[in-house]
Amino acid sequence: MTTVFPDDPTPLARAAEEHVSLARKVESIVQLPRPAQTRVFVVANQKGGVGKTTTTVNLAAAMAIKGLRILVIDLDPQGNTSTALDIVHTEGTPGVYEALVEGESIGTLVQQCPAHESIQVLPASIDLAGAEIELVSLVARETRLDKALQSYLHEAEQKGERYDYVFIDCPPSLGLLTVNALVAGREVLIPIQCEYYALEGLGQLLRNIELVKAHLNPKLNVTTILLTMYDGRTNLSSGVAAEVRQHFGGTVLTTAIPRSVRISEAPSYQQSVVTYDPSSSGALSYIEAAREIAERASGQKREAQR
Ligand code: ATP
Ligand code: MG
């Protein structure tokens, strides 16, 4: 590999070199492989502000620009995912509440993302805030999203419009909304912020996932951990990253998402960083993370076929 700064390994030079190398890698991705069947990811961590929404939005956008068909479910009453994808979600807008509580079909509730033809979004409005309590008294309260989603995915497949990936963005809690997501999903993606206290509460999340797996959804697995807001200049970030990799091994994606102002600015323009600033390190990292996720699936398939 050519070295941009051969004799000058200062942190800035190293960062520039890494950026160039990442840009080359990402440029070479023309189309991501389609999975054999729809992969349903639950993006969960009950800790607030760790990058669940940012990850959902940017992985969806990265996969869409690389040729995949995506459904995004905003399961957080804050509706940040809907905002970032430029989806109408003012109070009273039909969305995930109607699917969960009123049993409406998801097909009548999804909206097309204006920036990406191949992303459909099931939005969340503030009405969803009441669902956590309303669900308690409903029949099959934990499995309502699963039922609605399976029926919609089947319907889409029948029409020749099969989704490649579904991303469910969870709220920062372990209540019934998150449980519904864990029952509806097959894979859990946990974003971990490279900050102090990052691992606190993780044990509780993993125990909840095990409970759901034991009683409600045996097919559920934590397949992916993504390090977010990584700042290679600080010992704290690299220390947290090393600890997470030691604990969780190969589940952790090689790509870590850097702390980047462009990533945090993008939602205020109702955009993902992938469209807002495609050559930024944030955009490149999310595309590279998407490639890892997509290629892991084809790797697993090859393993299974042996
Ligand atoms: P909540 O628990 O409230 O749903 P969350 O886990 O979904 O939060 P985000 O909303 O994605 O977290 O991110 C929290 C804040 O951090 C946001 O302001 C977001 O723009 C910012 N942020 C996320 N990732 C990065 C990053 N890599 N670099 C800089 N800022 C980031
Ligand atoms: Mg969020």
Side-chain angles (χ1 to χ4, degrees):
M1 195 180 78
T2 49
T3 311
V4 181
F5 299 95
D7 307 317
D8 184 13
T10 61
L12 191 62
R14 214 176 305 126
E17 198 170 300
E18 278 167 16
H19 186 86
V20 171
S21 148
L22 186 58
R24 283 203 192 116
K25 254 201 229 170
V26 164
E27 217 173 272
S28 70
I29 308 169
V30 180
Q31 154 91 48
L32 289 173
R34 296 192 69 190
Q37 44 187 283
T38 308
R39 293 176 73 189
V40 184
F41 273 90
V42 182
V43 184
N45 189 337
Q46 82 277 23
K47 206 171 166 60
V50 298
K52 295 180 287 296
T53 298
T54 307
T55 296
T56 301
V57 166
N58 287 294
L59 285 180
M63 288 184 169
I65 62 162
K66 296 298 179 187
L68 301 180
R69 236 179 97 68
I70 316 292
L71 172 67
V72 174
I73 300 180
D74 188 353
L75 202 55
D76 186 345
Q78 297 177 100
N80 296 153
T81 296
S82 308
T83 305
L85 291 170
D86 198 11
I87 298 292
V88 180
H89 66 107
T90 43
E91 194 172 349
T93 307
V96 72
Y97 175 91
E98 282 68 16
L100 267 174
V101 179
E102 293 171 3
E104 273 188 40
S105 146
I106 291 181
T108 62
L109 301 167
V110 288
Q111 291 183 42
Q112 158 89 56
C113 173
H116 303 275
E117 207 179 302
S118 62
I119 300 182
Q120 303 287 318
V121 183
L122 178 59
S125 69
I126 191 66
D127 306 317
L128 187 61
E132 196 84 64
I133 292 166
E134 288 170 56
L135 277 169
V136 174
S137 57
L138 294 182
V139 181
R141 60 191 180 183
E142 293 100 349
T143 57
R144 297 179 76 90
L145 182 63
D146 182 42
K147 194 161 162 257
L149 179 61
Q150 290 316 317
S151 132
Y152 177 56
L153 291 179
H154 181 70
E155 198 182 292
E157 193 155 0
Q158 294 296 304
K159 281 201 270 176
E161 296 169 357
R162 195 196 80 177
Y163 285 101
D164 296 308
Y165 285 81
V166 178
F167 291 101
I168 309 175
D169 183 25
C170 291
S173 74
L174 291 171
L176 268 175
L177 287 174
T178 299
V179 170
N180 262 274
L182 293 173
V183 176
R186 294 294 171 269
E187 302 186 51
V188 186
L189 187 164
I190 307 178
I192 296 184
Q193 188 184 356
C194 296
E195 289 288 347
Y196 198 56
Y197 297 134
L199 300 176
E200 211 162 81
L202 211 56
Q204 198 189 349
L205 173 63
L206 295 174
R207 276 193 297 281
N208 274 43
I209 292 169
E210 282 310 310
L211 279 174
V212 170
K213 191 175 157 87
H215 300 286
L216 294 160
N217 181 9
K219 292 184 181 155
L220 187 68
N221 283 306
V222 177
T223 59
T224 314
I225 290 179
L226 178 63
L227 296 164
T228 63
M229 299 184 228
Y230 178 76
D231 184 345
R233 295 165 306 177
T234 67
N235 289 338
L236 178 60
S237 250
S238 32
V240 171
E243 196 178 341
V244 171
R245 290 191 192 282
Q246 196 185 353
H247 257 82
F248 296 101
T251 311
V252 188
L253 295 185
T254 309
T255 314
I257 306 302
R259 181 175 283 284
S260 136
V261 175
R262 307 304 265 170
I263 291 180
S264 56
E265 278 172 359
S268 51
Y269 297 90
Q270 285 82 48
Q271 285 193 52
S272 68
V273 74
V274 173
T275 54
Y276 174 63
D277 189 354
S279 59
S280 64
S281 60
L284 296 174
S285 304
Y286 269 115
I287 298 172
E288 179 60 10
R291 184 193 61 76
E292 271 195 71
I293 292 173
E295 290 187 353
R296 278 178 171 202
S298 31
Q300 280 161 6
K301 202 170 66 197
R302 277 198 299 277
E303 280 296 311
Q305 281 164 352
R306 271 189 201 155

